[in-house]
Amino acid sequence: MNRVIGYSLSACCRYKAYPIVLIFAIKGFLSVDIEKEFSCDDESPFLKIESKFWAKDFIFISQSSIDKFLSRSPMEPIVALGYYLIVGSFSLGSLEYQLDPTIKKTT
């Protein structure tokens, strides 16, 4: 987290604007306590945390944040991307949701 804040502040100094930080939690969180620090809107696949003074927005995508959005068809593109990255598949054809229209567009 310290590295992300450092990069964000560097970008802010260079471009004179706070960045939007997006992180995909490929291997999840180190602990349940850390995940509890993030807030989640029921209608959004994003987890968010306070980023005042270092980022315009800090968005986190994890398996738990996208789970309830996987069955919606067509998937939102950001959910499909998060799903693909988190599952770690080498092929779109081997995914459980390979027939979803959003995923089929990229094959």
Side-chain angles (χ1 to χ4, degrees), residues 7-65:
Y7 290 150
S8 186
L9 291 173
S10 292
C12 184
C13 287
R14 183 173 185 167
Y15 299 106
K16 308 294 186 237
Y18 288 113
I20 296 173
V21 179
L22 172 63
I23 294 181
F24 292 93
I26 304 299
K27 294 186 180 182
F29 287 90
L30 293 175
S31 75
V32 176
D33 292 335
I34 293 173
E35 188 172 8
K36 287 180 183 176
E37 294 296 319
F38 289 81
S39 63
C40 185
D41 181 355
D42 286 340
E43 293 303 313
S44 171
F46 307 123
L47 297 172
K48 294 187 175 190
I49 196 167
E50 180 67 41
S51 58
K52 191 185 269 186
F53 306 118
W54 60 272
K56 182 176 180 180
D57 216 349
F58 182 71
I59 302 166
F60 215 84
I61 297 177
S62 70
Q63 182 67 53
S64 62
S65 74

Side-chain angles (χ1 to χ4, degrees), residues 51-103:
S51 58
K52 191 185 269 186
F53 306 118
W54 60 272
K56 182 176 180 180
D57 216 349
F58 182 71
I59 302 166
F60 215 84
I61 297 177
S62 70
Q63 182 67 53
S64 62
S65 74
I66 63 170
D67 274 343
K68 64 183 173 187
F69 297 93
L70 293 176
S71 60
R72 295 183 185 177
S73 185
M75 274 186 212
E76 294 178 42
I78 193 72
V79 172
L81 177 61
Y83 169 64
Y84 175 71
L85 293 173
I86 291 167
V87 169
S89 176
F90 291 113
S91 165
L92 293 174
S94 65
L95 294 173
E96 180 181 350
Y97 296 99
Q98 64 181 295
L99 299 178
D100 183 274
T102 304
I103 291 177

